[in-house]
Amino acid sequence: MKNNFSKRLSSLTTLVAVTGAIFLAPMSVNAATCYIDSSTPPTLLKPQIKLSEKAILASLSAMDKTVSTALDFQTATINAAVQTLTSQKALSAKQAGQSMLNNSQIKSNAEQQVKMAHRAKEVVIDYGASGAGHQVCQVLAERKAIKNSGDVKKKAIMGMVNTEVTARPGAYSSTGSAKATRLALHDALYCTASQAASNLCSREAPRAGASLQAATLFVPADEGSPEYRDKSAFINNMVGYPDDPLTPEAAATVGGQAYSDLKRRKDAVKSTAIASLKNIQADWSGFAGNHKAHDDDENNAQTEAQQLADAASMPSSDTKTGTTIQPLAVKIQNDVNRYLGAGPEYQAWSKTLVGAAERGVLKEVLQVKALRLYLQSQQYEQLARMESMLAATVAAETYRTGMESNIERQRQNTIRKNIRANFTN
């Protein structure tokens, strides 16, 4: 910048000198009347020219300083403005970055809160009242009670047969004594008006006909209650009387052995019917679970002799004693009624389904399927008992038609021939 200024100053000096020479030339000619060289300024003007040059140079120097100062000020101002702008841009970028970070954090927190709320909602829906199903604790307790009752029933069957059936398999006792006890029990508790009118018993008994009807088996009753004893009396009437025991001498004979063989055969065939009848009785009876598998005590409360001893205290059949322990069949019926539209339980279950979530509905479907599987297992056991009774019927029919008796006669003939051969030898 200074070099350009010096060039301009030199050109300006030459211009001033030439201009001065041009304007002063006529005056010099008039004053001295001498030739003046136009290329060389006269000596008389040199001092003025130098003064003019100095004044011009001073003015130019002052102007240069002023311009330089102004330029420096403007440059500083522009640099400061640029720095300020740069700082402002940097600050704006920082603020923008911080704002973006804050916005990202706020968005992340909001999304997290939304997810947490969604999960909480899912938990409430899936595990709350709408997703848990109908009366979860109650249904679970009822299903557990059904399972426990089924286990107790299975354990009780053998004890029921051994303690309540007078003519149970493998038992020998006086037929006459058993007949007398049963007739006395019938006279005291089960004599009907028609039988009394026919002089078959003394009077109409308080529980008339209860031991003669199959419907007795399907009355809910606690173990040891009058209704429970009615079931036992009905089964005893169906099974019949026990077989008389043999003396040691008679048992050692061929006839005694044949008698024992026939007795075993009859008991085995008959045991299928006894087991099925006791299963039905157990299904409709409430048990405390204290049955013994083998109990031949005649003083047992369920024997006919003990029932006869307690006959005086038995209420009439019109008096319903009710149950304190729900029988297995009643528990199953209550559970089935919940899903088949019977009673207030079904109404409560229907209300639950209306407001239930998908998980709750699926759980109820599984509950119904589980109940169906249990009923199918019960049905399978019933079919197995029916199959065993059919097999026993075939075996009994085979014997009745004479096939077994013919084989037995052939066996006896063979035995006698062998005995004669041995004596001959």
Side-chain angles (χ1 to χ4, degrees), residues 294-310:
H294 299 283
D295 189 353
D296 296 330
D297 186 4
E298 289 296 330
N299 293 323
N300 188 284
Q302 310 305 332
T303 63
E304 288 187 295
Q306 189 60 42
Q307 290 180 23
L308 179 60
D310 298 338

Side-chain angles (χ1 to χ4, degrees), residues 347-358:
Q347 297 177 1
W349 180 70
S350 299
K351 291 179 181 178
T352 302
L353 288 185
V354 171
E358 182 179 2

Side-chain angles (χ1 to χ4, degrees), residues 99-116:
S99 297
M100 292 176 65
L101 178 61
N102 293 337
N103 291 336
S104 298
Q105 291 179 346
I106 293 172
K107 181 180 178 181
S108 176
N109 293 333
E111 289 178 351
Q112 187 177 6
Q113 293 295 329
V114 170
K115 289 181 179 179
M116 291 178 62

Side-chain angles (χ1 to χ4, degrees), residues 233-263:
F234 171 78
I235 294 174
N236 276 320
N237 283 336
M238 289 191 67
V239 174
Y241 297 106
D243 297 302
D244 287 315
L246 297 177
T247 62
E249 295 78 10
T253 63
V254 175
Q257 293 177 358
Y259 173 78
S260 178
D261 182 61
L262 291 173
K263 163 70 173 174

Side-chain angles (χ1 to χ4, degrees), residues 117-167:
H118 181 67
R119 290 176 182 175
K121 182 180 179 181
E122 288 182 346
V123 170
V124 171
I125 292 176
D126 290 343
Y127 300 97
S130 61
H134 175 71
Q135 299 291 339
V136 182
C137 296
Q138 176 185 339
V139 173
L140 181 62
E142 290 176 356
R143 294 292 172 87
K144 186 176 181 181
I146 290 176
K147 176 64 170 58
N148 292 338
S149 295
D151 294 340
V152 171
K153 185 199 82 168
K154 290 179 180 179
K155 294 178 181 179
I157 298 298
M158 185 64 73
M160 293 169 66
V161 173
N162 290 332
T163 60
E164 299 168 7
V165 180
T166 303

Side-chain angles (χ1 to χ4, degrees), residues 45 56 88 103 283 398 402 405-406 418 422-423:
L45 298 176
I56 292 172
Q88 289 177 347
N103 291 336
D283 284 337
T398 301
S405 60
N406 291 335
N418 289 337
N422 289 334
F423 276 116

